[in-house]
């Protein structure tokens, strides 16, 4: 059984606590209790300290403080928006692509993001943690599939496990010969940075496999001095970091915020990796942007920062069909329906200012 580290005291979990701390208006209490009956709430002390209670549009609050708008569900929203279940051969494993699996060890997180794509699965009272038998069956599945090169620990947040348990799990996975990469997706270095200590870092390093960590943050203010210290501990230990962010209305859907976020990642030695279009998770329509807005922001970003600061703008195709980059596209040609270009035709290529140039095909 995977046990959660008990050291997360003082995290706010009840609407009444949010009201008492001035993080939600008392007039919203009844609605927020209805939200809490369906979706988990957790706001760590580090996150609570980042919120400006005087700002009704605070971008940190929008990510973590529940809203009555979550009670409105739009057509097309799905309990399993990225289609994990159809690719789950055994409990805890999602095998969507031949060379990698997701391994969902825990179903709890340090915080509960209001836009979470797994909000129907994560949190107390949702799915239970993997039993010892299910854990062993999942390892057996990985062992029996030699094409699996990369194991991605996600969930839930794998850094909610105690360092001792995490070290055991990392060693179990690394002992499988064909697994060369163990990647962990986590929000902990940002929302509970004190958990990233020497013991945790030691647990993450293993013989015989390379550890990568994807750090989730959506607004530059999340990269506090404490978060930066936590990330530095990981990088200094030789663990490469990449970022993942979600494009969120009222949080980071303007070019200057995205620019500041990507610069902050790179300053922390975190390579920008994914900017996710918001998934069709229930009750999240108020936080989603349009794809056209996302593409426009990516165009803006290209004009503002170097390639080092560019994430891929991606969408998880509903139904479990995987991720696809969704632009924008900079190159087009007259035969856009396909086929070879004749020598007098030209590619049209757009530069970072939006100006169009012609480029000859190879004769
Ligand atoms: S940390 Fe990840 S899995 Fe947990 S609530 Fe946030 S988005 Fe969902």
């Amino acid at each position: 059984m995977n046990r959660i580290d008990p050291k997360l005291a003082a995290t706010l979990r009840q609407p009444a606590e949010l009201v008492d701390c001035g993080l939600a208006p008392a007039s919203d209490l009844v609605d927020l209790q209805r939200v809490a009956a369906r979706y988990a709430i957790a706001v760590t002390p580090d996150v609570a300290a980042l919120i400006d209670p005087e700002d009704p549009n605070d971008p940190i609050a929008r990510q973590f403080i529940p809203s009555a708008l979550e009670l409105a569900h739009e057509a097309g929203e799905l309990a399993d928006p990225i289609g994990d279940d159809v690719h789950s051969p055994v409990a805890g494993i999602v095998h969507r692509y031949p060379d990698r699996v997701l391994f969902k060890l825990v179903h709890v997180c340090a915080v509960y993001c209001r836009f979470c794509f797994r909000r129907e699965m994560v949190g107390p009272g949702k799915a239970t943690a993997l039993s010892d038998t299910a854990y062993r069956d999942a390892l057996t599945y990985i062992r029996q599939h030699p094409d699996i090169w990369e194991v991605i620990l996600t969930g839930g947040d794998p850094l909610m496990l105690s360092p001792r348990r995490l070290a055991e799990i990392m060693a179990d996975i690394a002992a499988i010969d064909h697994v060369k990469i163990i990647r962990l997706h986590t929000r902990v270095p940002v929302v509970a940075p004190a958990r990233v200590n020497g013991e945790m870092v030691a647990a993450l390093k293993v013989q015989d496999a390379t550890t990568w960590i994807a750090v989730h943050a959506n607004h530059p203010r999340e990269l506090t001095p404490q978060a930066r210290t936590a990330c530095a501990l990981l990088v200094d230990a030789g663990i490469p970091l990449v970022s993942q962010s979600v494009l969120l209305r009222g949080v980071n859907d303007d070019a200057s915020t995205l620019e500041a976020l990507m610069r902050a990642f790179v300053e922390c030695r975190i390579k920008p990796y994914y900017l996710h279009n918001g998934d069709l998770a229930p009750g999240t329509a108020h936080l989603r942007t349009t794809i056209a807005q996302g593409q426009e922001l990516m165009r803006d970003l290209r004009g503002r920062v170097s390639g080092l600061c560019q994430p891929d703008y991606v969408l998880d195709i509903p139904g479990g069909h995987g991720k696809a980059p969704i632009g924008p596209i900079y190159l087009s040609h007259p035969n856009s329906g396909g086929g070879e270009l004749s020598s007098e035709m030209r590619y049209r290529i757009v530069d970072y200012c939006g100006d169009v140039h012609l480029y000859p095909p190879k004769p």
Side-chain angles (χ1 to χ4, degrees), residues 14-241:
Q14 302 298 330
E17 294 174 317
L18 299 174
V19 171
D20 286 348
C21 294
L23 295 175
S27 55
D28 285 0
L29 186 57
V30 172
D31 278 344
L32 297 192
Q33 282 166 336
R34 288 174 61 210
V35 174
R38 175 145 190 193
Y39 305 117
I41 297 170
V43 181
T44 57
D46 297 87
V47 168
L50 267 183
I51 295 172
D52 175 1
E54 305 299 319
D55 179 359
N57 301 312
D58 183 86
I60 310 298
R62 276 180 78 75
Q63 295 182 61
F64 301 105
I65 304 299
S67 158
L69 295 170
E70 293 172 50
L71 297 167
H73 290 177
E74 253 190 16
E77 292 181 337
L78 300 162
D80 177 20
I82 74 165
D84 281 350
D85 289 350
V86 291
H87 293 289
S88 183
V90 295
I93 295 287
V94 178
H95 197 174
R96 198 183 328 264
Y97 304 97
D99 75 330
R100 54 205 183 271
V101 289
L102 304 183
F103 193 172
K104 299 185 193 175
L105 292 165
V106 292
H107 296 88
V108 294
C109 301
V111 287
Y112 292 104
C113 310
R114 305 327 301 167
F115 50 87
C116 176
F117 65 128
R118 295 207 178 106
R119 61 189 334 215
E120 298 281 9
M121 284 80 111
V122 295
K126 301 284 183 179
T128 49
L130 279 189
S131 66
D132 287 343
T133 306
Y135 173 71
R136 280 196 300 274
D137 288 349
L139 282 178
T140 301
Y141 180 86
I142 297 170
R143 218 175 275 120
Q144 289 173 339
H145 288 79
D147 286 350
I148 297 174
W149 172 78
E150 182 178 19
V151 173
I152 302 166
L153 305 185
T154 180
D157 195 318
L159 266 60
M160 292 295 283
L161 292 161
S162 68
R164 193 165 62 87
R165 182 66 187 128
L166 199 51
E168 291 167 355
I169 291 167
M170 295 290 292
D172 284 345
I173 299 171
I176 301 172
D177 269 356
H178 51 268
V179 175
K180 302 299 180 196
I181 305 293
I182 305 175
R183 183 184 354 149
L184 298 95
H185 281 231
T186 180
R187 216 145 164 32
V188 161
V190 167
V191 300
R195 287 185 65 72
V196 183
N197 54 21
E199 210 187 343
M200 180 68 86
V201 172
L204 292 166
K205 295 206 63 169
V206 275
Q207 300 281 324
D208 304 322
T210 302
T211 304
W212 283 70
I213 292 182
V215 177
H216 175 178
N218 303 311
H219 191 276
R221 261 170 48 206
E222 291 172 66
L223 291 157
T224 60
Q226 294 81 2
R228 288 173 185 246
T229 300
C231 293
L233 269 179
L234 294 165
V235 183
D236 288 346
I239 299 173
L241 304 184

